[in-house]
Amino acid sequence: MTAPAACAPNFALLHESVAHHARRAPDRVAIDEGKESITYGQLGEKMEHLAGVLAAAGVARHCRIGLYLENGIPACIGMLGALRAGCCYVPLPPSFPPERNSMVVLDSCPAAVVTTR
């Protein structure tokens, strides 16, 4: 019997796994929300694009990135883009009270905030 580790590549980071699947199976569905879905190829492109936008904006590695995004595909892209840029992310759900998100921003001091609004 083959050990599980021998069957699939080991990835240290989540965004590395997505990038691998984007290269290996770009047309395979990565996220399916019923009404909307995204393939690994599209997810990989959007992840890389967001990481590039953050870098071009001067966001350094190891910074915190606020994500003011609805749950679902946009939030996944935001998380992966932040991770790909070498940053961590701070969720700021729009459905939460503005006072709560303001406190989180003041406490975390994100270098940038990603939103679709």
Side-chain angles (χ1 to χ4, degrees):
M1 186 161 143
T2 307
C7 296
N10 261 343
F11 298 102
L13 303 171
L14 178 61
H15 68 274
E16 292 175 345
S17 178
V18 170
H20 170 78
H21 289 292
R23 287 188 304 273
R24 193 157 182 240
D27 296 328
R28 181 179 248 171
V29 174
I31 304 169
D32 185 352
E33 294 183 327
K35 293 181 181 177
E36 187 179 3
S37 65
I38 188 169
T39 66
Y40 277 104
Q42 294 166 325
L43 185 59
E45 286 176 19
K46 291 179 183 293
M47 170 184 76
E48 293 292 339
H49 176 74
L50 179 55
V53 168
L54 293 170
V59 175
R61 293 178 58 80
H62 308 294
C63 286
R64 289 175 293 280
I65 305 298
L67 299 180
Y68 188 72
L69 300 165
E70 300 291 342
N71 286 340
I73 292 173
C76 291
I77 293 167
M79 289 184 268
L80 290 166
L83 295 173
R84 176 64 182 94
C87 300
C88 67
Y89 57 88
V90 179
L92 302 166
S95 60
F96 280 26
E99 298 80 18
R100 182 263 185 201
N101 283 338
S102 294
M103 287 178 50
V104 171
V105 168
L106 289 172
D107 285 345
S108 64
C109 297
V113 175
V114 175
T115 186
T116 56
R117 295 178 182 225

